[in-house]
Amino acid sequence: MTTPQVKQQTGIGGLPLVRIETPWSMAEVYLQGATVTHFQKHGEPPLLFLSAKSRFEKDAPIRGGIPVIFPWFGKPEGKPAQHGSVRTRQWDFVESKTQADGNVTARFRLPASADLPSIVVEYVVTVGQSLCAELIVTNNSKSEFTFENCLHTYFTVGDISQTNVSGLKGVEYLDAMDNFTRKTEREDAIRFTCETDRVYFNTPHTTEIHDAALRRTIRVEKENSVSTVVWNPWIEKAKRMADYGDEEYKTMVCVESGNVRSEAIRLAPGGTSSLKVKMSSVL
Ligand code: TA6
């Protein structure tokens, strides 16, 4: 059994990354946005999707993996960019630890910044037979801090036309493709035949991605997340995204975990909030 290893390396575009090898898997985390760009169990296809056309440049978001969305989701009025400010910042790699069971944890911290006064943001990635990501926000200010968070995970699938997402039947959602109209999910399994962009509310529970082409099920388990976002850009939007291949919509789906829009978090002074997601695959 290979011994766990953690190495700091220079990655695509000269950007620094942390590469983590465990007896079961390998992962890569770019310090840019503390973005997990790769997780793959030995002998399996990659769990995470990374666009072949992603930019790897300072101040540009990485297209794929697990973008960390904080302190806002989407593009609220007056905000300078889509999906928060931290996915394009360089985080610090603090430490890594190998657990007795062979899992490796790597801890990252967002450097203090004037736009987030007295707010400490850390991110802990645990790599083993599954992948865990935990976004931890501590409010050291003297006032309540309201924010949205989301781990905007891109998953690899073999063929989107043979893929479905289960676990959301009966749940209310906002349909971004229909002026954010509030609807109720009627399907046991969501299938993809067009651009799909939905924010599901009151979903603290597990969802599953059933990938018939790769003959695997991906399980997304969450702690302290009540919003789930399901997204596939489909044909026309794929063509409009410069950092995304025209055909890449066929081999990915986003199932994102966080607390967004009406489910934003209100963190009292001295409080800590942790959003945790465990991603695993079953063949
Ligand atoms: O999570 C879905 C979504 O909000 C979509 O509307 C789409 O914009 C996607 O995120 C990607 O956003 P980005 O800013 O990374 O291009």
Side-chain angles (χ1 to χ4, degrees), residues 172-227:
E172 292 208 331
Y173 67 92
L174 295 180
D175 185 350
M177 305 314 298
D178 186 7
N179 298 316
F180 290 94
T181 305
R182 201 170 183 97
K183 301 178 180 176
T184 301
E185 183 55 63
R186 303 274 177 232
E187 303 297 329
D188 289 319
I190 300 161
R191 299 183 186 287
F192 300 87
T193 57
C194 59
E195 183 175 354
T196 305
D197 190 351
R198 303 175 183 174
V199 180
Y200 289 85
F201 294 112
N202 192 21
T203 53
H205 52 273
T206 298
T207 54
E208 292 190 334
I209 302 167
H210 302 280
D211 177 353
L214 291 180
R215 290 194 299 278
R216 81 175 168 187
T217 293
I218 295 172
R219 189 161 294 135
V220 182
E221 300 168 74
K222 319 193 286 182
E223 288 176 37
N224 307 317
S225 157
V226 290
S227 313

Short mmCIF file of all heavy atoms in Angstrom, two decimals, residues 172-227:
data_model
loop_
_atom_site.label_atom_id
_atom_site.label_comp_id
_atom_site.label_asym_id
_atom_site.label_seq_id
_atom_site.Cartn_x
_atom_site.Cartn_y
_atom_site.Cartn_z
N GLU A 172 -38.82 22.16 -3.43
CA GLU A 172 -39.04 23.40 -4.19
C GLU A 172 -37.71 23.93 -4.73
O GLU A 172 -36.67 23.77 -4.07
CB GLU A 172 -39.69 24.45 -3.29
CG GLU A 172 -41.12 24.09 -2.89
CD GLU A 172 -41.97 25.33 -2.61
OE1 GLU A 172 -41.39 26.36 -2.21
OE2 GLU A 172 -43.18 25.27 -2.82
N TYR A 173 -37.79 24.53 -5.90
CA TYR A 173 -36.56 25.09 -6.48
C TYR A 173 -36.87 26.34 -7.29
O TYR A 173 -38.02 26.57 -7.69
CB TYR A 173 -35.84 24.06 -7.36
CG TYR A 173 -36.57 23.64 -8.63
CD1 TYR A 173 -36.34 24.28 -9.84
CD2 TYR A 173 -37.47 22.56 -8.62
CE1 TYR A 173 -36.99 23.88 -11.00
CE2 TYR A 173 -38.13 22.17 -9.78
CZ TYR A 173 -37.87 22.82 -10.96
OH TYR A 173 -38.53 22.42 -12.13
N LEU A 174 -35.84 27.14 -7.51
CA LEU A 174 -35.93 28.29 -8.42
C LEU A 174 -35.33 27.84 -9.74
O LEU A 174 -34.22 27.31 -9.79
CB LEU A 174 -35.14 29.48 -7.86
CG LEU A 174 -35.67 30.09 -6.56
CD1 LEU A 174 -34.77 31.27 -6.16
CD2 LEU A 174 -37.12 30.51 -6.66
N ASP A 175 -36.09 28.08 -10.82
CA ASP A 175 -35.63 27.67 -12.15
C ASP A 175 -35.02 28.88 -12.85
O ASP A 175 -35.74 29.76 -13.34
CB ASP A 175 -36.83 27.11 -12.95
CG ASP A 175 -36.38 26.56 -14.29
OD1 ASP A 175 -35.19 26.77 -14.67
OD2 ASP A 175 -37.20 25.91 -14.96
N ALA A 176 -33.70 28.90 -12.88
CA ALA A 176 -33.00 30.06 -13.50
C ALA A 176 -33.30 30.15 -14.99
O ALA A 176 -33.14 31.21 -15.60
CB ALA A 176 -31.49 29.93 -13.27
N MET A 177 -33.77 29.05 -15.56
CA MET A 177 -34.08 29.07 -17.00
C MET A 177 -35.50 29.56 -17.27
O MET A 177 -35.95 29.58 -18.40
CB MET A 177 -33.87 27.68 -17.61
CG MET A 177 -32.49 27.08 -17.37
SD MET A 177 -31.16 28.26 -17.70
CE MET A 177 -31.43 28.58 -19.44
N ASP A 178 -36.21 29.89 -16.20
CA ASP A 178 -37.60 30.35 -16.33
C ASP A 178 -37.81 31.51 -15.36
O ASP A 178 -38.68 31.47 -14.48
CB ASP A 178 -38.55 29.17 -16.03
CG ASP A 178 -40.01 29.53 -16.29
OD1 ASP A 178 -40.26 30.64 -16.83
OD2 ASP A 178 -40.89 28.74 -15.93
N ASN A 179 -36.92 32.54 -15.51
CA ASN A 179 -36.99 33.75 -14.67
C ASN A 179 -37.04 33.46 -13.18
O ASN A 179 -37.77 34.13 -12.43
CB ASN A 179 -38.22 34.60 -15.07
CG ASN A 179 -38.11 35.05 -16.51
OD1 ASN A 179 -37.03 35.48 -16.93
ND2 ASN A 179 -39.18 34.88 -17.27
N PHE A 180 -36.32 32.45 -12.79
CA PHE A 180 -36.24 32.06 -11.37
C PHE A 180 -37.63 31.80 -10.76
O PHE A 180 -37.87 32.08 -9.58
CB PHE A 180 -35.48 33.13 -10.58
CG PHE A 180 -34.01 33.17 -10.90
CD1 PHE A 180 -33.52 34.05 -11.86
CD2 PHE A 180 -33.13 32.27 -10.30
CE1 PHE A 180 -32.17 34.06 -12.19
CE2 PHE A 180 -31.77 32.27 -10.63
CZ PHE A 180 -31.29 33.17 -11.58
N THR A 181 -38.51 31.26 -11.60
CA THR A 181 -39.84 30.87 -11.10
C THR A 181 -39.70 29.75 -10.07
O THR A 181 -38.87 28.85 -10.25
CB THR A 181 -40.70 30.37 -12.29
OG1 THR A 181 -40.71 31.39 -13.29
CG2 THR A 181 -42.12 30.04 -11.85
N ARG A 182 -40.49 29.84 -8.99
CA ARG A 182 -40.43 28.82 -7.94
C ARG A 182 -41.28 27.62 -8.38
O ARG A 182 -42.45 27.80 -8.75
CB ARG A 182 -40.95 29.37 -6.62
CG ARG A 182 -40.47 28.58 -5.40
CD ARG A 182 -40.80 29.32 -4.11
NE ARG A 182 -40.29 28.60 -2.95
CZ ARG A 182 -39.12 28.87 -2.32
NH1 ARG A 182 -38.37 29.85 -2.76
NH2 ARG A 182 -38.70 28.16 -1.28
N LYS A 183 -40.70 26.43 -8.36
CA LYS A 183 -41.39 25.23 -8.82
C LYS A 183 -41.15 24.09 -7.81
O LYS A 183 -40.35 24.24 -6.89
CB LYS A 183 -40.87 24.81 -10.20
CG LYS A 183 -41.04 25.87 -11.28
CD LYS A 183 -40.46 25.44 -12.61
CE LYS A 183 -40.66 26.52 -13.68
NZ LYS A 183 -40.00 26.15 -14.98
N THR A 184 -41.83 22.97 -8.02
CA THR A 184 -41.60 21.79 -7.20
C THR A 184 -41.10 20.66 -8.08
O THR A 184 -41.68 20.41 -9.16
CB THR A 184 -42.92 21.35 -6.50
OG1 THR A 184 -43.37 22.44 -5.69
CG2 THR A 184 -42.68 20.13 -5.61
N GLU A 185 -40.05 20.00 -7.64
CA GLU A 185 -39.48 18.89 -8.43
C GLU A 185 -40.44 17.71 -8.42
O GLU A 185 -40.79 17.22 -7.36
CB GLU A 185 -38.11 18.49 -7.84
CG GLU A 185 -37.41 17.40 -8.64
CD GLU A 185 -37.24 17.79 -10.09
OE1 GLU A 185 -36.55 18.78 -10.37
OE2 GLU A 185 -37.87 17.12 -10.95
N ARG A 186 -40.85 17.29 -9.61
CA ARG A 186 -41.81 16.19 -9.72
C ARG A 186 -41.12 14.85 -9.98
O ARG A 186 -41.71 13.79 -9.82
CB ARG A 186 -42.77 16.46 -10.90
CG ARG A 186 -43.51 17.78 -10.77
CD ARG A 186 -44.76 17.63 -9.95
NE ARG A 186 -45.49 18.91 -9.75
CZ ARG A 186 -45.85 19.35 -8.54
NH1 ARG A 186 -45.53 18.65 -7.46
NH2 ARG A 186 -46.51 20.49 -8.38
N GLU A 187 -39.84 14.91 -10.40
CA GLU A 187 -39.18 13.68 -10.87
C GLU A 187 -38.39 12.99 -9.74
O GLU A 187 -37.71 13.64 -8.96
CB GLU A 187 -38.20 14.02 -12.01
CG GLU A 187 -38.83 14.73 -13.22
CD GLU A 187 -39.87 13.87 -13.92
OE1 GLU A 187 -39.72 12.62 -13.91
OE2 GLU A 187 -40.84 14.45 -14.44
N ASP A 188 -38.47 11.66 -9.74
CA ASP A 188 -37.56 10.90 -8.84
C ASP A 188 -36.12 11.16 -9.25
O ASP A 188 -35.22 11.23 -8.43
CB ASP A 188 -37.84 9.39 -8.99
CG ASP A 188 -39.18 9.00 -8.38
OD1 ASP A 188 -39.47 9.53 -7.28
OD2 ASP A 188 -39.92 8.23 -9.01
N ALA A 189 -35.92 11.25 -10.58
CA ALA A 189 -34.56 11.41 -11.11
C ALA A 189 -34.58 12.53 -12.15
O ALA A 189 -35.38 12.49 -13.09
CB ALA A 189 -34.08 10.11 -11.74
N ILE A 190 -33.72 13.52 -11.97
CA ILE A 190 -33.65 14.65 -12.89
C ILE A 190 -32.78 14.25 -14.08
O ILE A 190 -31.63 13.81 -13.89
CB ILE A 190 -33.03 15.88 -12.19
CG1 ILE A 190 -33.87 16.27 -10.98
CG2 ILE A 190 -32.87 17.04 -13.16
CD1 ILE A 190 -33.13 17.13 -9.97
N ARG A 191 -33.33 14.37 -15.27
CA ARG A 191 -32.55 14.07 -16.49
C ARG A 191 -32.25 15.38 -17.21
O ARG A 191 -32.89 16.38 -16.95
CB ARG A 191 -33.33 13.10 -17.38
CG ARG A 191 -33.60 11.78 -16.69
CD ARG A 191 -34.31 10.74 -17.55
NE ARG A 191 -34.64 9.56 -16.74
CZ ARG A 191 -33.74 8.67 -16.33
NH1 ARG A 191 -32.46 8.85 -16.66
NH2 ARG A 191 -34.07 7.65 -15.56
N PHE A 192 -31.28 15.31 -18.14
CA PHE A 192 -30.78 16.53 -18.78
C PHE A 192 -31.01 16.48 -20.28
O PHE A 192 -30.49 15.59 -20.96
CB PHE A 192 -29.30 16.70 -18.43
CG PHE A 192 -29.07 16.80 -16.95
CD1 PHE A 192 -28.90 15.65 -16.17
CD2 PHE A 192 -29.06 18.04 -16.32
CE1 PHE A 192 -28.71 15.75 -14.80
CE2 PHE A 192 -28.88 18.14 -14.94
CZ PHE A 192 -28.72 16.97 -14.18
N THR A 193 -31.82 17.42 -20.75
CA THR A 193 -32.11 17.50 -22.20
C THR A 193 -31.98 18.94 -22.70
O THR A 193 -32.25 19.22 -23.86
CB THR A 193 -33.56 17.03 -22.48
OG1 THR A 193 -34.43 17.86 -21.68
CG2 THR A 193 -33.75 15.56 -22.11
N CYS A 194 -31.56 19.84 -21.81
CA CYS A 194 -31.40 21.25 -22.18
C CYS A 194 -30.62 21.92 -21.05
O CYS A 194 -30.35 21.29 -20.02
CB CYS A 194 -32.77 21.91 -22.34
SG CYS A 194 -33.76 21.83 -20.85
N GLU A 195 -30.32 23.22 -21.21
CA GLU A 195 -29.61 23.93 -20.13
C GLU A 195 -30.45 23.81 -18.87
O GLU A 195 -31.66 24.07 -18.89
CB GLU A 195 -29.37 25.39 -20.48
CG GLU A 195 -28.57 26.12 -19.38
CD GLU A 195 -28.21 27.55 -19.73
OE1 GLU A 195 -28.47 27.97 -20.88
OE2 GLU A 195 -27.66 28.24 -18.84
N THR A 196 -29.82 23.39 -17.81
CA THR A 196 -30.51 23.14 -16.55
C THR A 196 -29.78 23.91 -15.45
O THR A 196 -28.55 23.76 -15.32
CB THR A 196 -30.52 21.64 -16.21
OG1 THR A 196 -31.10 20.92 -17.31
CG2 THR A 196 -31.30 21.36 -14.93
N ASP A 197 -30.54 24.78 -14.75
CA ASP A 197 -29.88 25.63 -13.75
C ASP A 197 -30.90 25.88 -12.64
O ASP A 197 -31.78 26.72 -12.78
CB ASP A 197 -29.46 26.95 -14.41
CG ASP A 197 -28.55 27.79 -13.51
OD1 ASP A 197 -28.40 27.43 -12.33
OD2 ASP A 197 -28.01 28.80 -14.01
N ARG A 198 -30.84 25.11 -11.56
CA ARG A 198 -31.88 25.12 -10.55
C ARG A 198 -31.28 25.21 -9.15
O ARG A 198 -30.30 24.53 -8.85
CB ARG A 198 -32.73 23.84 -10.63
CG ARG A 198 -33.36 23.62 -12.00
CD ARG A 198 -34.08 22.29 -12.05
NE ARG A 198 -34.63 22.04 -13.39
CZ ARG A 198 -35.21 20.90 -13.73
NH1 ARG A 198 -35.34 19.90 -12.84
NH2 ARG A 198 -35.68 20.72 -14.94
N VAL A 199 -31.89 26.06 -8.34
CA VAL A 199 -31.49 26.19 -6.94
C VAL A 199 -32.57 25.55 -6.08
O VAL A 199 -33.69 26.06 -5.98
CB VAL A 199 -31.32 27.67 -6.53
CG1 VAL A 199 -30.89 27.79 -5.06
CG2 VAL A 199 -30.30 28.36 -7.43
N TYR A 200 -32.24 24.39 -5.49
CA TYR A 200 -33.20 23.66 -4.66
C TYR A 200 -33.05 24.09 -3.20
O TYR A 200 -31.91 24.20 -2.69
CB TYR A 200 -32.94 22.15 -4.76
CG TYR A 200 -33.31 21.56 -6.11
CD1 TYR A 200 -32.41 21.58 -7.17
CD2 TYR A 200 -34.56 20.99 -6.32
CE1 TYR A 200 -32.74 21.05 -8.40
CE2 TYR A 200 -34.90 20.45 -7.55
CZ TYR A 200 -33.99 20.49 -8.59
OH TYR A 200 -34.33 19.96 -9.82
N PHE A 201 -34.18 24.31 -2.54
CA PHE A 201 -34.16 24.76 -1.15
C PHE A 201 -34.50 23.63 -0.19
O PHE A 201 -35.06 22.61 -0.59
CB PHE A 201 -35.17 25.91 -0.97
CG PHE A 201 -34.76 27.14 -1.73
CD1 PHE A 201 -35.51 27.56 -2.82
CD2 PHE A 201 -33.61 27.83 -1.40
CE1 PHE A 201 -35.12 28.67 -3.55
CE2 PHE A 201 -33.22 28.95 -2.12
CZ PHE A 201 -33.97 29.36 -3.21
N ASN A 202 -34.13 23.81 1.07
CA ASN A 202 -34.47 22.88 2.13
C ASN A 202 -34.02 21.45 1.79
O ASN A 202 -34.79 20.49 1.87
CB ASN A 202 -36.00 22.90 2.38
CG ASN A 202 -36.34 22.17 3.68
OD1 ASN A 202 -35.48 22.01 4.56
ND2 ASN A 202 -37.56 21.70 3.78
N THR A 203 -32.73 21.38 1.37
CA THR A 203 -32.18 20.07 0.96
C THR A 203 -30.91 19.76 1.74
O THR A 203 -29.79 19.84 1.20
CB THR A 203 -31.83 20.08 -0.55
OG1 THR A 203 -30.97 21.21 -0.81
CG2 THR A 203 -33.07 20.18 -1.40
N PRO A 204 -31.08 19.43 3.02
CA PRO A 204 -29.89 19.05 3.81
C PRO A 204 -29.42 17.62 3.51
O PRO A 204 -28.35 17.20 3.95
CB PRO A 204 -30.40 19.13 5.26
CG PRO A 204 -31.87 18.86 5.15
CD PRO A 204 -32.31 19.41 3.82
N HIS A 205 -30.21 16.91 2.70
CA HIS A 205 -29.97 15.46 2.56
C HIS A 205 -29.05 15.13 1.38
O HIS A 205 -28.67 16.00 0.60
CB HIS A 205 -31.32 14.76 2.40
CG HIS A 205 -32.17 15.36 1.31
ND1 HIS A 205 -33.03 16.44 1.53
CD2 HIS A 205 -32.28 15.07 -0.01
CE1 HIS A 205 -33.65 16.75 0.40
NE2 HIS A 205 -33.20 15.94 -0.54
N THR A 206 -28.76 13.83 1.28
CA THR A 206 -27.86 13.31 0.26
C THR A 206 -28.52 13.27 -1.11
O THR A 206 -29.72 12.96 -1.22
CB THR A 206 -27.44 11.88 0.66
OG1 THR A 206 -26.74 11.96 1.93
CG2 THR A 206 -26.52 11.23 -0.37
N THR A 207 -27.75 13.60 -2.13
CA THR A 207 -28.21 13.39 -3.51
C THR A 207 -27.24 12.43 -4.19
O THR A 207 -26.11 12.23 -3.72
CB THR A 207 -28.23 14.72 -4.30
OG1 THR A 207 -26.94 15.31 -4.20
CG2 THR A 207 -29.29 15.67 -3.78
N GLU A 208 -27.71 11.82 -5.27
CA GLU A 208 -26.86 10.87 -6.00
C GLU A 208 -26.89 11.18 -7.49
O GLU A 208 -27.93 11.58 -8.03
CB GLU A 208 -27.34 9.43 -5.76
CG GLU A 208 -27.11 8.96 -4.33
CD GLU A 208 -27.36 7.47 -4.16
OE1 GLU A 208 -28.14 6.90 -4.95
OE2 GLU A 208 -26.77 6.87 -3.23
N ILE A 209 -25.75 10.99 -8.13
CA ILE A 209 -25.62 11.14 -9.58
C ILE A 209 -25.46 9.74 -10.14
O ILE A 209 -24.49 9.03 -9.81
CB ILE A 209 -24.39 12.01 -9.94
CG1 ILE A 209 -24.48 13.39 -9.29
CG2 ILE A 209 -24.25 12.12 -11.46
CD1 ILE A 209 -23.16 14.18 -9.34
N HIS A 210 -26.41 9.31 -10.96
CA HIS A 210 -26.38 7.94 -11.52
C HIS A 210 -25.85 8.04 -12.95
O HIS A 210 -26.48 8.64 -13.82
CB HIS A 210 -27.78 7.34 -11.49
CG HIS A 210 -28.36 7.30 -10.10
ND1 HIS A 210 -28.04 6.32 -9.18
CD2 HIS A 210 -29.16 8.17 -9.44
CE1 HIS A 210 -28.66 6.58 -8.03
NE2 HIS A 210 -29.35 7.70 -8.16
N ASP A 211 -24.67 7.48 -13.14
CA ASP A 211 -23.95 7.62 -14.40
C ASP A 211 -23.90 6.25 -15.08
O ASP A 211 -23.02 5.42 -14.77
CB ASP A 211 -22.54 8.15 -14.09
CG ASP A 211 -21.65 8.26 -15.33
OD1 ASP A 211 -22.06 7.81 -16.43
OD2 ASP A 211 -20.52 8.78 -15.19
N ALA A 212 -24.85 6.02 -15.97
CA ALA A 212 -24.95 4.68 -16.59
C ALA A 212 -23.75 4.40 -17.50
O ALA A 212 -23.28 3.28 -17.59
CB ALA A 212 -26.25 4.59 -17.40
N ALA A 213 -23.23 5.45 -18.13
CA ALA A 213 -22.13 5.25 -19.09
C ALA A 213 -20.87 4.76 -18.38
O ALA A 213 -20.18 3.85 -18.85
CB ALA A 213 -21.85 6.55 -19.84
N LEU A 214 -20.57 5.35 -17.24
CA LEU A 214 -19.38 4.92 -16.48
C LEU A 214 -19.76 3.85 -15.45
O LEU A 214 -18.90 3.41 -14.67
CB LEU A 214 -18.72 6.12 -15.79
CG LEU A 214 -18.05 7.14 -16.72
CD1 LEU A 214 -17.43 8.28 -15.90
CD2 LEU A 214 -16.97 6.47 -17.57
N ARG A 215 -21.04 3.50 -15.43
CA ARG A 215 -21.53 2.46 -14.51
C ARG A 215 -21.11 2.76 -13.06
O ARG A 215 -20.55 1.92 -12.35
CB ARG A 215 -21.01 1.07 -14.93
CG ARG A 215 -21.65 0.57 -16.23
CD ARG A 215 -21.40 -0.92 -16.48
NE ARG A 215 -19.96 -1.19 -16.60
CZ ARG A 215 -19.28 -0.98 -17.74
NH1 ARG A 215 -19.91 -0.50 -18.79
NH2 ARG A 215 -17.99 -1.24 -17.82
N ARG A 216 -21.35 4.03 -12.68
CA ARG A 216 -21.06 4.38 -11.28
C ARG A 216 -22.09 5.36 -10.73
O ARG A 216 -22.79 6.04 -11.47
CB ARG A 216 -19.64 4.92 -11.12
CG ARG A 216 -19.43 6.38 -11.47
CD ARG A 216 -17.99 6.81 -11.14
NE ARG A 216 -17.72 8.11 -11.74
CZ ARG A 216 -16.52 8.69 -11.75
NH1 ARG A 216 -15.49 8.07 -11.20
NH2 ARG A 216 -16.34 9.88 -12.30
N THR A 217 -22.21 5.34 -9.43
CA THR A 217 -23.07 6.31 -8.73
C THR A 217 -22.17 7.18 -7.87
O THR A 217 -21.28 6.67 -7.16
CB THR A 217 -24.09 5.57 -7.83
OG1 THR A 217 -25.01 4.87 -8.68
CG2 THR A 217 -24.86 6.56 -6.97
N ILE A 218 -22.35 8.48 -8.00
CA ILE A 218 -21.61 9.43 -7.16
C ILE A 218 -22.56 9.90 -6.07
O ILE A 218 -23.71 10.27 -6.36
CB ILE A 218 -21.11 10.63 -7.99
CG1 ILE A 218 -20.08 10.17 -9.04
CG2 ILE A 218 -20.50 11.70 -7.08
CD1 ILE A 218 -19.67 11.27 -10.03
N ARG A 219 -22.11 9.85 -4.83
CA ARG A 219 -22.94 10.24 -3.69
C ARG A 219 -22.42 11.57 -3.15
O ARG A 219 -21.21 11.74 -2.95
CB ARG A 219 -22.86 9.15 -2.62
CG ARG A 219 -23.84 9.32 -1.48
CD ARG A 219 -24.03 8.02 -0.71
NE ARG A 219 -24.68 7.00 -1.54
CZ ARG A 219 -24.28 5.73 -1.59
NH1 ARG A 219 -23.26 5.31 -0.88
NH2 ARG A 219 -24.91 4.85 -2.37
N VAL A 220 -23.34 12.50 -2.93
CA VAL A 220 -22.99 13.82 -2.38
C VAL A 220 -23.70 13.95 -1.03
O VAL A 220 -24.92 14.10 -0.97
CB VAL A 220 -23.42 14.96 -3.33
CG1 VAL A 220 -23.00 16.32 -2.76
CG2 VAL A 220 -22.83 14.75 -4.73
N GLU A 221 -22.90 13.83 0.04
CA GLU A 221 -23.45 13.92 1.40
C GLU A 221 -23.01 15.25 2.02
O GLU A 221 -21.88 15.68 1.79
CB GLU A 221 -22.95 12.74 2.25
CG GLU A 221 -23.34 11.38 1.69
CD GLU A 221 -22.58 10.24 2.36
OE1 GLU A 221 -22.90 9.90 3.51
OE2 GLU A 221 -21.65 9.70 1.72
N LYS A 222 -23.92 15.86 2.78
CA LYS A 222 -23.62 17.23 3.23
C LYS A 222 -23.87 17.38 4.73
O LYS A 222 -24.70 16.68 5.30
CB LYS A 222 -24.55 18.23 2.54
CG LYS A 222 -24.79 17.98 1.07
CD LYS A 222 -25.45 19.15 0.41
CE LYS A 222 -26.91 19.32 0.77
NZ LYS A 222 -27.48 20.48 0.04
N GLU A 223 -23.15 18.34 5.32
CA GLU A 223 -23.44 18.80 6.69
C GLU A 223 -23.54 20.32 6.64
O GLU A 223 -22.71 20.97 6.00
CB GLU A 223 -22.31 18.39 7.65
CG GLU A 223 -22.25 16.90 7.96
CD GLU A 223 -21.04 16.55 8.84
OE1 GLU A 223 -20.69 17.35 9.74
OE2 GLU A 223 -20.41 15.51 8.57
N ASN A 224 -24.58 20.86 7.30
CA ASN A 224 -24.77 22.32 7.33
C ASN A 224 -24.88 22.94 5.94
O ASN A 224 -24.30 24.00 5.68
CB ASN A 224 -23.62 23.01 8.09
CG ASN A 224 -23.43 22.40 9.47
OD1 ASN A 224 -24.39 22.14 10.18
ND2 ASN A 224 -22.18 22.13 9.83
N SER A 225 -25.61 22.25 5.07
CA SER A 225 -25.93 22.84 3.76
C SER A 225 -27.40 22.53 3.48
O SER A 225 -27.78 21.34 3.51
CB SER A 225 -25.06 22.24 2.65
OG SER A 225 -25.71 22.41 1.38
N VAL A 226 -28.19 23.56 3.20
CA VAL A 226 -29.61 23.31 2.91
C VAL A 226 -29.99 23.70 1.48
O VAL A 226 -31.13 23.49 1.06
CB VAL A 226 -30.52 24.05 3.91
CG1 VAL A 226 -30.41 23.40 5.29
CG2 VAL A 226 -30.23 25.53 3.97
N SER A 227 -29.00 24.22 0.73
CA SER A 227 -29.27 24.54 -0.68
C SER A 227 -28.48 23.59 -1.57
O SER A 227 -27.31 23.29 -1.27
CB SER A 227 -28.84 25.98 -1.01
OG SER A 227 -29.29 26.91 -0.06
#
